[in-house]
Structure formats: C-alpha cells, structure tokens
Amino acid sequence: MFALVSALLLGQVLGQAVTPPDSKASSSRLWSTSSAATWNNSYLIGNGRLGGAVPGNIASELVYINEDSFWSGGFIYRVNQDARSYMPELQQLIREGRVVEATNLADIAYTGTPLSARHYDTLATWEITMNHSSKATNGSYERYLDIDDATSGTYYVINGTAYSREYIASQPAGVLAVRIASNTTGAVSLQAHIRRAPDGSLNRFEDYSRRVGNDTMVMGGNDASYPGIQFSAGTRVVAKGGSVYAIGDTVVVDHADEAWLYLQSWTTYRKDDPEAAVLSDLAAIEKTYPEIRAEHVTDYQSYAHRVDLSFGNSSAEQRNMTTSQRVAAANSTFDPGFTSLFFQFGRYLLIASSRNGTLAANLQGIWNSQMDPFWGSKYTTNINVEMNYWPALVTNLADLQGPLDDLIAATREKGTNVSETMYGVENGGWVLHHNTDMWGDAAPQDNYIYSTWWASAAPWMVSHQMEKYRFTGDTTYLRNVYPNLKSAAQFFVGFLSDYEGYKVVNPTISPENAYILPSDNLTAVAITLGATMDTELLWELFNSIKEANELLHLGDDAFVSQLEALEAKLPPYRENYFGGLQEWIHDYQEAIPGIDHLSPLWAAYPGNQITSYNMTLFNWARETLNHRLQRQLRYAGWLKGLLLQSHESVSTAGSPSGYSPPPSYGGSSANQTLTAAFTGDVNKAPLIRLLPALPEAFAAAGGGGYVSGLRARGGFEVGIVWDAKGGLVSANITSLIGGTAYVTLGDTPIGQSNGTAVKADGAGSGVFLKLNTQAGKSYGVTNA
C-alpha cells in the first residue's frame, strides 16, 4: 500500500529551482546568516497542536518536536488535607500582623501536596542527517522564518551545489512537513529518524522504535509517571529520483532530486492507540507537498492577513541587517519595518499555538526542548496565560480564544472541589491559584512567597470572556460563559472576610512582589490581605455580572444585590509613599523596586477602571508606572506607541454608573455633558480613540504609516492612516453589528474639549464624534 501511494505521489512531484532566499529584500522575514547556536534561537513553526523548533543546521538538522497534550502525567489531586482546618488560624495571624508566622504556617498548611501540578514535556527530536559536508561555502548560508506565509527555510551551497529545506506546520493536513531540494540532479541524500532524547545518549521513556514498510519509521514511549501519557511519533519520506528505503529505525534517501518528509504525532490524551493513529495518518497522505503547502498558506493567511500594519519605510541600512542586528540597533533607533514585523510576529505565535480544538497556548506556546522546562512550561495564571491571549481580540483573532475558554472550563471543574475542600466555600464557587496544567489543576502551586498565596486567578481568566463579548457583541457566547463569571464570584461571596471595616481576600499577595516588614524594616514578606489587585479584579467581576444580568435578562437580581453590597465594602484606592497607587492594604515599602510585574495597575490595563476621566487615579497609576519601569523602558523605547484604544465608554444615560470623578474635574464646553461609563452599566457606547499615543518621531522615521483590520469594542473594525508628523490622514470604521460609538482623536479625556475635532459624512463633527451605525456600513473619519 505504501509503495503504491508513494508511486502516485512521485508522479505529481514538480521540480523547483533552488535559489538564494534573499531575505533582506522581504519585509516579512526574520532571518540569519548562521544556524541557531541554541534552541532559543531556533525558528518556530506550529499548527496549534504540533510544534517544531528549527535550528537550521547544515548537515545534522535536529528539529525539536512538541505535541500540545504531551505532559508529565495524568491529573493529580493535590489539595492539602489540612488546609481547611488551618485556614482560620492562618487568617488570624495575618490580621494580627504576624506575617512571618503566617508564612511559616502557609508553607505546610496551604501548599499543595505534592507541591507542583503536571508540567509540559518535550516530545522528540526529528533528525535529518544530510550526506554532505557540514561546512557551507562562505557567505552562502541563510535561514529564515516568513511571517507572511508561515514557512521556515534554510539555504546553503556546498561544492557548487545549492540546497534548500523548507519547513511548514500545516493545520489542514495536521502534520509537519519538510521539502528538501537541490539544484543538482541526484544530490539529495539523507537519513531521517526520530528519537526521544535530544542528545541521543539515552532512550529515556522511549519504548519502541522501528521501520514500517520501506518509507516510514515510528517510535513511541511515555512520560515519567505511572500511569502516564503514552505518545507515538512517526515520519514518512517521499522522494523524486534516487531511492527510499528503511533500515532498522531509519529512513534513507539516496541520490534523489528532492525529498518530502512528513511527521505526525499523537498521545493517549486524544487517541486510544497513538501508534495506529500516526501510521494511519502518514499512510493516508496522498497530496503532494506543493498541494499541502498551498492549503497551509491559505489557511494561515486567513488569520494573518486580517491585519496590515506599516510604520513606513526603514532605511536601506536597516533592511540589510539580520534580525539579531536589527534587534540590537532598535534599542536606540526606531526601525519602522522591524516594528511592524515584531507586531505580526506576536500574532504569528498565537496562530501557531492556539487553534480551536487544541490546548491553550502555555508558558512557552507549544515549544519546549526540555523534560524539566522553566516553570514547568505550564499555565501561569497570574499574568502569562492572559498575556498570551491579549492579542486575540484587538488584532482580529477572536476565533482563536476557544482554547482559553476550554482551559477556563477545566479549571472551573477542578476549582469547585478546591473551593469546598480547601476553603470551606460550598456554594458552587470555584477558585484558581497562580498556576494550572492541562488538566485544570486548581490547587496552590509551588511554595514560593511571591506567587503561591493567591486565589484570585479566576476573576482575571473570566474577564477575557467578558471582553470577548465586548469586542464581538455575541450575546449567545456571553450567555454560555455567564456561569463561569457567576461561579468565580460565588467563591468570593463565601470567602471574603472582615478587616478594619472592609471586605478583603485573606490570605493573598500582590503577584510576584514583596514588601518590607514594618516591624524590622529588613525582612521581605509577601503574604497579606486586601491587596489592591484583588480589589480591582473583584470590582470588575462583580460589575461584569451586574452588566451581563441586565443585558441578558437573566433574573439574577438577588445575586447582583449581594455583590453590590460586597463591592461597597472593598478597600478604596489610595496614594502610596512615592505618589503612586498603593499596592497593599497598608502603605508598605516595596521590596523589589523596578519589578517587571505591574499588579496594582490591573485597573488601568487590562482593566478599564482607571482612565484619564479621573485624573487623580490616572496620575497615581502613571507615577507607579514611571517608578516601576524607569530602568526597563530604555531597553524597549521603540515599542512605546498606541494606535487604537477602545477600553473607555461614554454614558448614553447622561450619568456614570457606580463611579464618580472628583467634583473639580471636567471641561468647560458643550462636551462637558459627556460622562464616562464603566463596567456594570448597560447604558453606554464604546469610545474609539484614534492615534492616542503615536510619537511624532515614529511617524517621521517611516514617513507616515497605516494600519487596517484592528478591532474595537462594540463590534467595529478600524483602519487608520497617519502622516509623517503623526497626524491623522483618514480613518475607516466598519460597523460589524450596528450600534453607537463615539470617536475621538488623541488622548483628550472624556468631558473635555481641548482636542482636535474630527468629522464623518452624515455625522457632523466634534472632539467626540457620535456615530450611530448600521451593521455592515463603513464610516470615513477625517480631521474636521
């Protein structure tokens, strides 16, 4: 059967010329003139489920392979059996300020048993050993990753013969594929093999490895646990010219004109018999590599081409630099083309690591070369997994959020039990700490003072679901995920406790930060109660439920009233000792100045409670940002710029809901009738800010620029063109679902009138332009 299919494929092979990639002429490529010295410098390909890290070695290529469901074992029940009984004592120690004692108790009574959830594992190494020298003709080597079509390539010349390898991770075909070609007849000779250990020294957890027929080899094994997850991976080779045969567990190609290599892998997470599934899939490949490649590119570009961004033209000197050279130079000089590429690279990684039906993008996406990776390459829910999905909505990839929704469902299932057995909250609430695995493990993770004692991940996770509704207007989706929001809130209804007249989370931390113990001014501690970030998350969660209940007519009014009573007792926002936003319930001195986590600023981003509508809070947030990042920003100054914002809302009822700015704040024109609205209010319209923070130096460096395809809340797609001074040339706003929006240019606060007026046909003009839109209609906006 394999021989027949191979013969059919060979008849369809079309030879292609092998020419230098000339990546410096492409605006969509990361590229280098040397192979990757380490795994971290490899180029990454992925189809959501399968991932490959491609180093581009000349003679001995080692592609690191991952399958998103290959973790270190099955679900472990880790809830500390004594946590519930010791929780009151732990809380009392914290209330009394006996923080060192509380930490010591938490070390043994709060932590999970065992400490860690399952970790993500590396799967295998795909070896492609070329039968030629390992030294290319000087100056001929080049490798690249093309963000426009999701292909990676390697090119080099040896003794006058040019070779190329192209790598793809096809979602339609469900496989990784490599095309190896040469410009000389019969010059492609290689050996293909898959092994478990990257260095080949041990066949750790590898249970079998053998040839199947004349063109395929398969291997498989398990993780380190029992009973664990079994996996299988196989490769099949098709060649034009020469011969293909298998010896032992290696497929050999001799003197071919070109070869196509395919790789498939499955685990028992999805397939009862992974080996049978791998072999069946490989045998069923009937399309040629060019056909598979074409379908792959079409599929990828259906996501990637939704957004186009240009900051203008880079200089000839910048365009001629390799990627590593541009990274180094961009620290001091704005590089327009490279900045656009950096933006699209972020979208590329999400497309490559998160597709509906796959697991969510983990701490390293889907790429990992180690059996014991950093932080377990799990789902760090106190910022990292959320950051992975920040690009999904605004950069027009909302349909890639499905895996995150699946992870939320898994953690809710496990977290309901943790709520009951660990905290004694038995009202249907669910809890999630700072980390989880593919099984949704909701017990505390590790024994680390800066992160472990935190139970507020669920409100942050479900905020992504509320945000998806805001961007899409999909009420069916909101109705489906509302139980997640409600259950997250139910936990805090049962767990919030009293402290100095407030309702607080106890115990808690401000994620990843610590403070100096006031009693000795020396000891760094983290465990506390009533951290500011908790207040911000709960405010957003409680009001999201209020808003959803009214929008969907759910009749959950009694629960909403209960949440409103709790919200009224949350600690207020206050100014700290350096003029920033206070991070803890008391004004402690932070122990890690300049820490890269901005936990107390959640309400400014990704939340929307702190905006320029209230300059008191806004200035506190700005001072915290300046204080925290003053050392970091100089290493990424070229990234500071915003093209579009839509997190603010304008009240359509004439007054804000649940929020009041200082009485002295406000403008003096007719625009002072505009007031801000916030989460919890259904009588509001999104405010679309065009070019709120585009530095003139950025615009001047590229001679102007444009973006198209961005999404704004309220169901709008936005395109903007700007000139060399950073001024608006034009904008196009397409309404996807109808409804009202306000549009403004720049950063004028709601209620003031000191900005530049804009206009649109049929809508008049103003600093804050009101658009009453129809679904499917586009509105051109220019300066008035």
Side-chain angles (χ1 to χ4, degrees):
M1 176 62 183
F2 282 6
L4 175 61
V5 173
S6 296
L8 292 173
L9 289 174
L10 290 178
Q12 302 178 62
V13 175
L14 301 175
Q16 298 183 26
V18 175
T19 58
D22 193 23
S23 295
K24 65 184 177 183
S26 171
S27 62
S28 61
R29 286 186 175 178
L30 287 72
W31 65 286
S32 176
T33 55
S34 62
S35 60
T38 66
W39 177 84
N40 286 332
N41 294 323
S42 299
Y43 291 143
L44 305 176
I45 59 174
N47 65 7
R49 185 179 66 85
L50 291 175
V54 182
N57 296 321
I58 294 174
S60 182
E61 179 69 296
L62 299 174
V63 181
Y64 292 89
I65 303 301
N66 296 107
E67 205 275 355
D68 70 342
S69 65
F70 190 56
W71 288 59
S72 61
F75 174 68
I76 315 172
Y77 186 76
R78 301 186 305 106
V79 176
N80 191 312
Q81 62 186 333
D82 294 312
R84 181 170 178 172
S85 60
Y86 279 92
M87 192 64 67
E89 180 180 343
L90 176 60
Q91 292 176 315
Q92 185 60 30
L93 288 172
I94 297 171
R95 278 193 292 265
E96 294 174 0
R98 298 159 63 185
V99 178
V100 174
E101 294 173 69
T103 302
N104 291 337
L105 179 60
D107 284 345
I108 55 177
Y110 186 105
T111 53
T113 53
L115 286 177
S116 180
R118 294 300 191 184
H119 67 265
Y120 189 48
D121 211 340
T122 186
L123 186 92
T125 306
W126 193 11
E127 296 179 327
I128 304 171
T129 305
M130 303 297 296
N131 188 21
H132 57 48
S133 170
S134 62
K135 294 184 179 180
T137 300
N138 187 39
S140 68
Y141 180 91
E142 187 175 320
R143 67 184 175 102
Y144 64 86
L145 175 66
D146 198 315
I147 304 304
D148 184 66
D149 61 11
T151 63
S152 183
T154 302
Y155 171 89
Y156 51 87
V157 177
I158 295 178
N159 296 328
T161 297
Y163 294 88
S164 70
R165 293 197 297 267
E166 183 181 70
Y167 311 78
I168 62 173
S170 169
Q171 200 280 333
V175 298
L176 305 187
V178 182
R179 172 186 177 266
I180 303 176
S182 165
N183 66 351
T184 301
T185 301
V188 176
S189 295
L190 60 90
Q191 296 176 7
H193 177 69
I194 306 173
R195 68 186 184 201
R196 178 80 168 93
D199 61 3
S201 60
L202 295 172
N203 58 333
R204 295 179 63 190
F205 315 117
E206 184 177 326
D207 296 334
Y208 59 88
S209 182
R210 59 179 175 270
R211 70 172 177 85
V212 179
N214 294 319
D215 61 359
T216 301
M217 70 81 55
V218 66
M219 59 84 71
N222 59 79
D223 57 50
S225 67
Y226 180 83
I229 298 174
Q230 283 77 51
F231 76 93
S232 183
T235 185
R236 180 181 168 209
V237 182
V238 177
K240 175 185 179 182
S243 58
V244 177
Y245 53 94
I247 300 176
D249 59 1
T250 299
V251 182
V252 181
V253 177
D254 278 342
H255 302 297
D257 300 331
E258 69 176 77
W260 305 335
L261 284 68
Y262 303 104
L263 183 139
Q264 179 61 288
S265 178
W266 290 105
T267 76
T268 47
Y269 179 81
R270 293 190 176 93
K271 303 288 184 178
D272 292 335
D273 189 340
E275 181 185 5
V278 165
L279 293 176
S280 175
D281 287 352
L282 291 175
I285 296 174
E286 297 182 354
K287 294 179 179 178
T288 66
Y289 176 88
E291 290 171 331
I292 291 174
R293 183 190 192 279
E295 291 180 349
H296 156 72
V297 171
T298 298
D299 167 74
Y300 168 75
Q301 290 181 345
S302 70
Y303 297 94
H305 282 187
R306 294 174 184 177
V307 175
D308 189 14
L309 171 65
S310 172
F311 282 99
N313 298 318
S314 297
S315 68
E317 180 183 4
Q318 289 171 325
R319 294 195 301 271
N320 287 332
M321 292 179 182
T322 64
T323 299
S324 60
Q325 291 170 335
R326 292 181 88 166
V327 169
N331 286 326
S332 57
T333 304
F334 182 66
D335 186 335
F338 188 65
T339 305
S340 301
L341 178 62
F342 185 86
F343 168 84
Q344 295 291 13
F345 181 56
R347 298 180 71 245
Y348 167 84
L349 292 176
L350 185 60
I351 297 169
S353 61
S354 182
R355 294 294 192 97
N356 286 331
T358 72
L359 296 176
N362 64 49
L363 196 58
Q364 295 174 191
I366 51 174
W367 301 280
N368 168 37
S369 64
Q370 298 176 322
M371 294 183 182
D372 184 19
F374 287 113
W375 302 288
S377 192
K378 298 188 290 291
Y379 298 104
T380 304
T381 52
N382 71 4
I383 180 87
N384 299 91
V385 69
E386 294 90 349
M387 287 176 67
N388 282 350
Y389 285 90
W390 280 347
L393 300 176
V394 71
T395 74
N396 213 335
L397 297 173
D399 43 353
L400 298 185
Q401 189 174 303
L404 180 63
D405 292 336
D406 295 339
L407 181 63
I408 290 171
T411 56
R412 179 185 166 195
E413 178 187 353
K414 301 297 194 301
T416 303
N417 175 271
V418 176
S419 172
E420 296 173 357
T421 58
M422 181 175 176
Y423 294 95
V425 178
E426 301 177 342
N427 60 2
W430 68 290
V431 64
L432 179 62
H433 298 84
H434 93 282
N435 220 293
T436 188
D437 59 15
M438 78 166 177
W439 306 107
D441 188 328
Q445 168 73 26
D446 298 331
N447 188 359
Y448 188 54
I449 69 167
Y450 304 106
S451 57
T452 298
W453 333 119
W454 190 66
S456 297
W460 194 346
M461 294 282 275
V462 298
S463 74
H464 281 253
Q465 298 185 311
M466 190 68 187
E467 283 286 79
K468 185 173 179 178
Y469 160 74
R470 291 178 179 134
F471 274 87
T472 65
D474 187 343
T475 55
T476 299
Y477 172 82
L478 181 59
R479 188 178 298 275
N480 289 337
V481 301
Y482 177 79
N484 296 336
L485 277 71
K486 181 174 182 179
S487 181
Q490 285 172 315
F491 168 75
F492 291 97
V493 168
F495 185 62
L496 289 179
S497 59
D498 296 312
Y499 180 73
E500 295 186 353
Y502 301 121
K503 289 291 185 181
V504 298
V505 181
N506 178 18
T508 191
I509 58 169
S510 187
E512 306 292 336
N513 206 357
Y515 60 94
I516 301 299
L517 194 64
S519 60
D520 64 11
N521 290 323
L522 293 173
T523 305
V525 293
I527 201 166
T528 186
L529 51 74
T532 297
M533 187 178 183
D534 292 330
T535 296
E536 296 169 336
L537 288 167
L538 293 182
W539 190 95
E540 175 66 23
L541 175 63
F542 293 172
N543 282 282
S544 291
I545 290 170
K546 174 184 177 182
E547 187 173 335
N549 176 62
E550 188 171 350
L551 283 167
L552 302 176
H553 308 290
L554 296 174
D556 226 351
D557 298 355
F559 185 62
V560 168
S561 296
Q562 191 175 17
L563 297 182
E564 288 178 330
L566 289 174
E567 179 199 327
K569 293 185 177 181
L570 293 175
Y573 300 145
R574 287 169 285 196
E575 184 179 12
N576 72 1
Y577 64 94
F578 60 77
L581 183 64
Q582 189 169 301
E583 188 162 358
W584 293 277
I585 190 71
H586 298 296
D587 194 12
Y588 302 126
Q589 180 181 347
E590 60 181 353
I592 316 174
I595 185 176
D596 55 357
H597 280 254
L598 300 170
S599 299
L601 297 190
W602 191 95
Y605 185 87
N608 61 11
Q609 301 162 39
I610 297 178
T611 71
S612 59
Y613 189 64
N614 184 321
M615 289 304 296
T616 298
L617 293 179
F618 192 76
N619 286 332
W620 291 350
R622 179 159 50 194
E623 187 59 33
T624 299
L625 186 65
N626 291 337
H627 175 81
R628 190 67 55 84
L629 298 184
Q630 57 185 336
R631 290 179 295 177
Q632 297 174 32
L633 287 180
R634 69 171 182 261
Y635 296 113
W638 55 280
L639 293 178
K640 294 182 289 185
L642 286 171
L643 304 178
L644 175 71
Q645 290 180 318
S646 64
H647 62 293
E648 298 168 87
S649 296
V650 174
S651 174
T652 57
S655 62
S657 174
Y659 185 97
S660 296
S664 61
Y665 179 83
S668 58
S669 73
N671 277 329
Q672 71 183 17
T673 60
L674 292 182
T675 56
F678 296 85
T679 303
D681 189 358
V682 298
N683 299 308
K684 61 186 177 185
L687 173 62
I688 299 174
R689 287 192 181 274
L690 306 174
L691 306 179
L694 177 63
E696 185 174 339
F698 286 18
Y706 63 86
V707 67
S708 64
L710 295 179
R711 288 291 179 90
R713 292 165 181 83
F716 296 95
E717 187 165 302
V718 181
I720 312 169
V721 180
W722 58 91
D723 60 27
K725 293 185 177 181
L728 177 69
V729 174
S730 64
N732 185 74
I733 299 174
T734 300
S735 177
L736 304 177
I737 60 175
T740 300
Y742 284 82
V743 182
T744 192
L745 177 62
D747 60 359
T748 301
I750 294 173
Q752 291 192 2
S753 60
N754 58 347
T756 301
V758 293
K759 65 180 180 180
D761 290 344
S765 64
V767 173
F768 291 88
L769 177 64
K770 184 177 182 181
L771 292 180
N772 293 314
T773 72
Q774 298 177 16
K777 186 175 180 180
S778 296
Y779 301 83
V781 177
T782 59
N783 287 310

